[in-house]
Amino acid sequence: MTPRRALTIGCVFAATAVVAGALGAHALADTLSAAQLEAWRTAALYQLAHAIALVALAQSRRWNPTLARGAALLAWGVVAFSGSIYALSLGGPRWLGPITPLGGMAW
């Protein structure tokens, strides 16, 4: 992964985290149960936090292969962790449950 790609992915993740948070707070507030809504909020918060970390990492003046691998793990962690929680909150298949901790381990 290049610094430019890490920056782009981090910015896209940050923007979609804000959209997901707003969606959970407004459009899904009456649809999801309290537990589902709390899980959705957690996914959005963790997505935003790791998006910011990815943007910060992309700003390193000492970019090297280790940082590139770290950036890739951050990105895959967001997809696996937050993505699986979003899907489960919306009634996705239960087999997604074990994907969530894999995303956490990627971080």
Side-chain angles (χ1 to χ4, degrees):
M1 178 171 303
T2 65
R4 183 181 177 108
R5 178 168 287 177
L7 179 63
T8 301
I9 292 170
C11 289
V12 168
F13 282 165
T16 56
V18 171
V19 170
L23 187 65
H26 301 289
L28 298 175
D30 295 332
T31 305
L32 301 179
S33 70
Q36 289 171 314
L37 193 55
E38 187 59 32
W40 185 277
R41 288 180 183 145
T42 299
L45 176 64
Y46 279 47
Q47 179 180 342
L48 182 58
H50 288 86
I52 293 168
L54 192 54
V55 168
L57 187 62
Q59 301 302 312
S60 174
R61 295 193 185 274
R62 296 182 180 172
W63 191 262
N64 59 51
T66 302
L67 290 179
R69 283 189 293 278
L73 284 171
L74 273 171
W76 283 113
V78 168
V79 172
F81 184 88
S82 295
S84 65
I85 291 176
Y86 292 138
L88 287 167
S89 295
L90 295 174
R94 304 223 8 107
W95 61 262
L96 287 172
I99 302 297
T100 305
L102 294 177
M105 287 190 319
W107 287 334

